Amino acid sequence: MLYYLFRYLEDFGIPGSHLWAYISFRGLLTLVLSLIISAWFGEYFIKWMKCHNASETQRDASIDPFGVNKVDVPTMGGIIIIVATVVPCLLLGRLRNIYMLLMLGTILLLGLLGFLDDYVKMKRTKDGIKPRFKLIGQAGLGLVVGLTLWLSPDAVIQENHTTVKANHEVVVHNTKKVKSTDTTIPFVKDNNLSYSEAMSFMGKYKTAAGWILFVLVTTFIVMAVSNGSNLNDGMDGMCAGNSAIMVLTLGVLAYVSSHTALASYLNIMYIPGSEELVIFCLAFVGALVGFLWYNSYPAQVFMGDTGSLAIGGVIAVMAVILHKELLIPLICFVFLVESVSVILQTNVARMGNKRGEKWRVFKRAPIHDTFRVKPGQLASDLKVYFNWPKGCWLESKITTRFWIVTIIMCALAVVTLKIR
């Protein structure tokens, strides 16, 4: 709203109003505002939740040895993140931008889904809503995002191609804006993956088939990353810290994709309008960092599914909009490992049960739980293939080390723009 107000005032020559045309100015202002809102609103939110006894069920000491200090800790802290993200975006973002609208819709819809799950956990059953309902909600959002990017005339790119000038290769962008199912392939120069070309066996229907494949892939990515984020939310500061790093990385990718000179230099597709993703990214990062003020060990508030489902959805949708979904295994490496660890643990345990034996790949899953198992905590008849570490790490140490891994993988994701 303020963006449109000051752009209007610019017509009257009001000093300083032209600053609102600069992404750097609006982005940094958004970052500061989201930090302030997160820190200020978080304090009142925690007090209100405690007054209404809206706390998470006491954690099982056999799984969380540090849970003794986490009695009567309020949950649904994701509301803090959502409010601190949405308010600055409404004030400082361009609300006519299709990408900004998609991001706001994503965080609100998945935040609502997570809120319902947290509410049911507190009021009715510890297990929350049934998993299939969460999957249906995630899949529904993925379909909406995929179809919007397919059908909206504003979701376009300007393709790049290499030409030779004065014996030098120069990357230029076509002036014509086109709809495209292309996505960037890491480590490969001048070669994008086209969903339409992948469906070339469909003949004259390959373009439509390519978009259908794109919608299905988008749906899968939203479900996968959202659930990966949900699994990563098991320690104080873990998911919020990892997600802040991931979203900041996507903000860098959004900035270079929205800048014609940088996009040409890096030989990536130019995405008109994606500069508003920078505004959203900085608002989201500010909200997450502000949330860490209360969520770092020992936590004063838990994120809950309200936050974790929304975080995963935001990261997934942003990567798809930027045509960088193939970088998700690098950017969301921690989420991927958490999900794979659960899948492996579940299937190996099922196989062992059929043979009447107790088999496990890790001491516990998701993978972060395996680092806080105390010696002697596991049953004597349990066979663990990956029995490391031998001791129990402090929760704050586990969280910090996961952050470091995320920083390394996200740095590698950005480096792939040049290593091609």
Side-chain angles (χ1 to χ4, degrees):
M1 291 181 284
L2 291 178
Y3 168 81
Y4 295 105
L5 172 62
F6 280 93
R7 293 310 301 270
Y8 175 74
L9 294 177
E10 187 178 356
D11 295 335
F12 297 94
I14 304 298
S17 56
H18 68 282
L19 287 173
W20 294 80
Y22 295 102
I23 289 296
S24 55
F25 175 76
R26 283 197 292 135
L28 292 175
L29 200 59
T30 301
L31 177 66
V32 173
L33 181 58
S34 62
L35 273 167
I36 293 173
I37 292 175
S38 185
W40 171 79
F41 175 65
E43 180 179 358
Y44 288 95
F45 177 82
I46 293 170
K47 290 179 179 178
W48 190 89
M49 294 291 280
K50 284 185 174 181
C51 289
H52 291 79
N53 296 317
S55 59
E56 187 173 278
T57 305
Q58 174 63 25
R59 297 186 178 185
D60 188 350
S62 65
I63 296 176
D64 184 0
F66 308 105
V68 66
N69 298 320
K70 303 174 187 177
V71 181
D72 297 329
V73 176
T75 186
M76 294 187 186
I79 294 175
I80 300 172
I81 300 171
I82 294 171
V83 170
T85 301
V86 172
V87 172
C89 286
L90 292 177
L91 289 174
L92 305 173
R94 289 173 53 201
L95 302 182
R96 296 175 185 172
N97 182 278
I98 183 63
Y99 302 132
M100 176 63 79
L101 294 175
L102 277 176
M103 299 313 305
L104 290 174
T106 296
I107 193 172
L108 290 173
L109 289 175
L110 284 184
L112 177 60
L113 181 65
F115 173 83
L116 293 175
D117 190 49
D118 288 334
Y119 183 83
V120 172
K121 284 179 183 177
M122 286 194 307
K123 298 297 182 180
R124 299 180 184 178
T125 172
K126 185 178 178 181
D127 296 329
I129 62 177
K130 294 182 179 180
R132 66 172 177 267
F133 293 126
K134 286 197 284 188
L135 291 175
I136 290 172
Q138 293 164 338
L141 175 67
L143 287 171
V144 170
V145 170
L147 290 171
T148 300
L149 294 175
W150 177 7
L151 301 174
S152 173
D154 297 325
V156 293
I157 70 166
Q158 288 179 219
E159 295 178 317
N160 54 333
H161 64 273
T162 304
T163 185
V164 178
K165 292 183 178 180
N167 297 323
H168 293 285
E169 288 188 350
V170 179
V171 177
V172 296
H173 292 97
N174 293 331
T175 56
K176 184 180 179 181
K177 299 176 182 179
V178 298
K179 304 288 293 183
S180 176
T181 59
D182 287 359
T183 187
T184 302
I185 304 178
F187 304 109
V188 178
K189 186 177 181 180
D190 295 330
N191 192 8
N192 293 328
L193 171 66
S194 172
Y195 292 107
S196 295
E197 291 301 320
M199 303 297 288
S200 58
F201 61 89
M202 296 294 292
K204 63 179 181 179
Y205 302 107
K206 71 175 185 178
T207 301
W211 277 109
I212 292 172
L213 177 61
F214 169 80
V215 172
L216 294 177
V217 170
T218 299
T219 302
F220 171 77
I221 290 173
V222 169
M223 295 172 68
V225 180
S226 184
N227 283 306
S229 172
N230 190 226
L231 291 172
N232 187 235
D233 180 31
M235 291 186 179
D236 298 347
M238 173 74 81
C239 187
N242 284 320
S243 301
I245 299 165
M246 296 174 191
V247 174
L248 186 60
T249 303
L250 288 168
V252 172
L253 297 177
Y255 184 75
V256 298
S257 297
S258 67
H259 195 290
T260 53
L262 290 175
S264 295
Y265 173 71
L266 295 170
N267 195 5
I268 59 176
M269 61 187 77
Y270 169 59
I271 308 174
S274 59
E275 65 274 4
E276 290 306 306
L277 292 179
V278 179
I279 304 300
F280 185 90
C281 282
L282 290 176
F284 203 49
V285 169
L288 289 167
V289 173
F291 178 72
L292 278 173
W293 184 272
Y294 304 104
N295 186 240
S296 57
Y297 183 83
Q300 297 171 257
V301 63
F302 293 138
M303 180 184 296
D305 284 6
T306 306
S308 61
L309 291 181
I311 285 172
V314 162
I315 293 172
V317 173
M318 200 174 302
V320 170
I321 289 174
L322 294 172
H323 298 259
K324 300 293 187 293
E325 56 264 36
L326 295 183
L327 284 176
I328 285 179
L330 287 176
I331 297 173
C332 302
F333 178 78
V334 167
F335 292 172
L336 175 64
V337 172
E338 297 273 33
S339 299
V340 170
S341 69
V342 171
I343 294 171
L344 287 175
Q345 191 86 328
T346 303
N347 285 281
V348 169
R350 188 178 294 116
M351 291 169 57
N353 291 337
K354 290 181 179 179
R355 296 172 177 263
E357 300 175 349
K358 292 185 177 180
W359 293 351
R360 299 292 186 274
V361 179
F362 310 101
K363 289 185 287 185
R364 282 210 172 87
I367 190 68
H368 64 257
D369 275 335
T370 200
F371 297 103
R372 62 179 176 185
V373 177
K374 290 183 177 180
Q377 251 188 327
L378 298 176
S380 57
D381 59 342
L382 190 66
K383 183 178 180 181
V384 179
Y385 293 107
F386 187 74
N387 194 14
W388 183 85
K390 298 298 182 181
C392 175
W393 294 358
L394 292 174
E395 182 167 333
S396 56
K397 186 180 288 290
I398 300 170
T399 298
T400 302
R401 288 177 175 176
F402 269 64
W403 290 357
I404 293 171
V405 171
T406 299
I407 291 172
I408 293 171
M409 301 308 292
C410 285
L412 181 59
V414 174
V415 168
T416 60
L417 297 178
K418 288 298 293 180
I419 303 179
R420 290 190 290 168

